[in-house]
Amino acid sequence: GVLSTLNIALKENNPFLVLQINSEETPNKETPIVSQNFLEKIEVYPPGDLVRSLTERFALGSIAGKSRFLVLKNNYYSGAFAGMLAWEKNMMGDLRDLLDLPASKSSNIITTTIGTTTVISQINQSQFKDSIVANRDARIFKDGSGATIFLYLFPDNDTIVIANNENTAKIVT
């Protein structure tokens, strides 16, 4: 499928690789696929606010065949930002294969027995947290152990960078 082909291409050990993904509608002509069609092809469906704010341009690439990034261009910052926040609950699952994200380590589960009652509490669940990366506000998804799984930031009002680590985000921005 499309994702397995992308995975092979993104593993190429190149210092900085950006893929050009062409549309299948014009087989004899190199016509880049537009962002909305690309997301559909890889079966990723972000919230409508985000999709409607996207321009046709996007970039998908990797650094040294390991660290991956997706750059989306938008023409309506408020819609893009609201869409990204709404997408947070599904983003990890949606982008796991594309960005080759590690499985998030499960959080610590503590079982306490008080008399005949057993209380199970979960601490440090995986979640997005506000942070600063390259002097920009960023949202970082950390797993239960506190390790960064991926992040996104807006280097400017027209650009969204999604990367699987902070150094990649800094290089791309």
Side-chain angles (χ1 to χ4, degrees):
V2 175
L3 270 175
S4 59
T5 304
L6 290 173
N7 274 326
I8 291 166
L10 290 167
K11 285 182 179 158
E12 188 177 311
N13 191 2
N14 225 326
F16 191 86
L17 173 74
V18 177
L19 298 180
Q20 178 176 329
I21 303 161
N22 292 324
S23 173
E24 297 168 344
E25 292 158 19
T26 51
N28 299 328
K29 189 176 161 204
E30 287 191 1
T31 307
I33 192 170
V34 299
S35 61
Q36 294 89 338
N37 293 352
F38 170 71
L39 292 170
E40 280 180 26
K41 282 248 179 272
I42 61 168
E43 298 179 4
V44 169
Y45 304 99
D49 284 351
L50 176 60
V51 174
R52 283 187 297 278
S53 75
L54 294 178
T55 67
E56 294 183 351
R57 296 175 46 220
F58 74 99
L60 172 67
S62 63
I63 297 173
K66 293 179 177 56
S67 300
R68 296 186 184 182
F69 60 87
L70 174 64
V71 179
L72 300 169
K73 297 299 272 180
N74 73 84
N75 55 17
Y76 180 56
Y77 174 77
S78 296
F81 189 74
M84 289 299 289
L85 288 174
W87 192 19
E88 285 185 358
K89 63 181 175 287
N90 298 322
M91 201 182 298
M92 172 71 181
D94 285 353
L95 298 178
R96 173 177 274 132
D97 293 334
L98 182 67
L99 296 180
D100 196 27
L101 303 175
S104 63
K105 294 181 180 71
S106 61
S107 51
N108 303 325
I109 296 176
I110 298 170
T111 307
T112 314
T113 305
I114 304 165
T116 57
T117 307
T118 303
V119 178
I120 299 171
S121 32
Q122 192 172 4
I123 56 169
N124 297 332
Q125 63 193 39
S126 301
Q127 61 184 338
F128 276 95
K129 292 182 171 32
D130 288 327
S131 188
I132 302 287
V133 174
N135 295 324
R136 307 279 192 297
D137 290 333
R139 297 280 292 158
I140 299 182
F141 185 84
K142 294 187 181 255
D143 70 8
S145 69
T148 296
I149 303 295
F150 73 107
L151 65 138
Y152 71 88
L153 57 92
F154 286 79
D156 58 54
N157 285 352
D158 304 327
T159 309
I160 306 163
V161 173
I162 305 170
N164 62 0
N165 66 58
E166 290 182 39
N167 284 339
T168 301
K170 287 175 187 172
I171 291 168
V172 174
T173 55

